Amino acid sequence: INKKEKLINHINELKNQKNAIILAHNYQPREIQEIADFIGDSLELCIIAEKTEADIIVFCGVDFMAETAKILNPTKKVLLPEIVDSECPMAHQLPPEVIIQAKKEHPDAKVVIYVNTLASAKAMADATCTSANADKVVNLFEEDKILFGPDNNLAYFVEKRTDKKIIPVPKGGHCYVHKMYTLEDAKKVKAEYPDAELLIHPESNPELQDIADYVMSTGGMVKHVLNSPVETFIIGTECDMISRLNIELEKVGKSKNLVPLRSDAICKSMKNITLEKIETCLIEEKYEVNLDKEIIEKAKVAIDKMLSLNK
Ligand code: 13P
Ligand code: SF4
């Protein structure tokens, strides 16, 4: 038994002793995904966090995801194995003051914001959404005008799929990882793999969404790739999505050719967690996510509105 196996055994022992579960987002490195009890997109992980009976949730993801778990299940201890550089930069682009200002300018609009936001911003929203349900959440409201943020590309995606007037807040809100993709990238990879299907995450620029075979959340990509007869896919989202897809394909004895649209599409904030840090996190029960009670209550209303779609 080597050092890594020992470490994994110890993590599993600690997990059982403390009644903990490990959740990992699709963008985590493969070895973190492999040790997780559940791997998923941001919506799937929200649903698990809400329902779990574990006492401790170890969240292998970025800040807003762990905060969402805490909001949905506040009596549990939610831990991030690392807090340094664990922020999703996009989540910090929509502070609550920007929402207050936008509401003043558009008093007749509802506010729908991406889960990739701070808890204090969620507390100001009428609903949250993820890339897996953004259009459906917007359609929950009768109002024609929707203030939508922070991702302007996801706003484009929603505007195209609903009859609503979508007002993006703030102007220029984006994810630096998906913003990198250009038409040139797509042309280059498609020339190399002419039979491949191009799957694009809705955080990508409109011109890429327009030429993609499918625009989908990371969870959508899992279902699509597993059920499709196509052999080669160009994956237009963070590179470790390919790890997730391979894990699921291996489980059912399949293999496909998965090509990254860009091999440098890496979300740095998702790469700080190691097996050693998970072990320490379980031993020392750090770093705990703590949120103001009032913020939790208000933010929960917005998240519950979104989750009403799944009930
Ligand atoms: P998903 O909702 O598809 O998991 O995406 C979350 C995210 O952070 C994308 O960059
Ligand atoms: Fe945030 Fe982009 Fe990283 Fe997703 S990929 S967590 S949106 S920075």
Side-chain angles (χ1 to χ4, degrees):
I1 168 162
N2 63 29
K3 203 172 147 227
K4 186 174 164 185
E5 285 166 344
K6 239 177 157 171
L7 189 54
I8 291 173
N9 287 346
H10 192 214
I11 290 173
N12 285 327
E13 262 169 45
L14 288 163
K15 239 176 46 181
N16 291 339
Q17 255 171 40
K18 300 200 172 195
N19 189 26
I21 55 162
I22 301 179
L23 307 184
H25 187 264
N26 292 328
Y27 297 164
Q28 285 294 307
R30 180 162 177 146
E31 65 176 9
I32 305 296
Q33 294 195 27
E34 279 173 346
I35 201 171
D37 296 286
F38 297 96
I39 324 166
D41 69 6
S42 49
L43 177 63
E44 291 158 342
L45 295 179
C46 275
I47 295 169
I48 307 265
E50 185 190 28
K51 294 201 179 125
T52 186
E53 283 176 7
D55 295 314
I56 295 179
I57 302 172
V58 175
F59 212 114
C60 301
V62 289
D63 57 352
F64 74 82
M65 296 178 179
E67 285 187 1
T68 306
K70 183 71 186 173
I71 295 163
L72 285 170
N73 216 335
T75 61
K76 310 295 181 184
K77 196 173 244 187
V78 179
L79 304 173
L80 271 166
E82 178 55 275
I83 42 163
V84 177
D85 297 329
S86 71
E87 292 117 1
C88 162
M90 179 162 64
H92 295 255
Q93 291 169 7
L94 185 59
E97 309 82 76
V98 175
I99 302 179
I100 295 170
Q101 184 55 32
K103 272 170 121 171
K104 270 193 204 144
E105 287 164 25
H106 302 278
D108 52 340
K110 285 286 177 191
V111 179
V112 176
I113 65 173
Y114 205 9
V115 278
N116 300 38
T117 43
L118 305 170
S120 53
K122 289 184 177 79
M124 309 288 315
D126 294 300
T128 63
C129 71
T130 75
S131 53
N133 61 19
D135 47 346
K136 293 189 204 87
V137 171
V138 161
N139 280 332
L140 287 174
F141 296 101
E142 277 172 14
E143 286 76 359
D144 290 326
K145 257 191 186 180
I146 307 285
L147 287 161
F148 190 95
D151 190 45
N152 288 193
N153 290 339
L154 186 62
Y156 171 82
F157 172 87
V158 175
E159 172 114 58
K160 256 186 116 173
R161 284 162 180 78
T162 65
D163 296 326
K164 307 283 190 191
K165 171 150 184 47
I166 304 291
I167 306 161
V169 274
K171 261 207 180 82
H174 70 283
C175 159
Y176 76 97
V177 180
H178 293 86
K179 192 84 191 160
M180 271 198 272
Y181 296 134
T182 64
L183 279 181
E184 272 311 299
D185 296 330
K187 244 193 247 161
K188 215 167 86 193
V189 192
K190 276 190 141 191
E192 220 176 310
Y193 301 95
D195 297 329
E197 231 174 51
L198 174 62
L199 309 185
I200 285 285
H201 194 278
E203 286 172 19
S204 313
N205 293 322
E207 61 273 23
L208 282 137
Q209 297 190 30
D210 291 348
I211 60 145
D213 291 298
Y214 293 93
V215 187
M216 41 184 36
S217 70
T218 60
M221 289 183 193
V222 172
K223 288 187 200 96
H224 181 74
V225 169
L226 282 176
N227 294 315
S228 165
V230 173
E231 274 306 315
T232 306
F233 295 91
I234 303 164
I235 305 299
T237 193
E238 213 272 344
C239 287
D240 264 308
M241 186 61 212
I242 293 182
S243 307
R244 172 73 203 278
L245 291 168
N246 280 327
I247 288 174
E248 295 309 318
L249 287 163
E250 286 161 23
K251 278 186 197 161
V252 292
K254 285 189 193 169
S255 90
K256 305 246 177 195
N257 191 16
L258 306 172
V259 185
L261 178 52
R262 282 179 73 111
S263 52
D264 59 350
I266 291 167
C267 173
K268 291 201 274 314
S269 321
M270 285 278 183
K271 312 298 168 192
N272 299 319
I273 297 171
T274 59
L275 292 176
E276 286 81 3
K277 286 184 192 174
I278 295 178
E279 183 192 40
T280 310
C281 164
L282 280 163
I283 295 171
E284 298 180 13
E285 301 192 9
K286 67 173 193 185
Y287 300 90
E288 190 174 355
V289 177
N290 279 310
L291 294 168
D292 194 78
K293 201 166 161 256
E294 200 186 324
I295 296 272
I296 290 186
E297 277 163 18
K298 286 191 183 154
K300 190 171 182 318
V301 175
I303 302 172
D304 280 346
K305 181 82 181 172
M306 165 180 85
L307 292 177
S308 70
L309 282 171
N310 295 73
K311 291 187 171 143

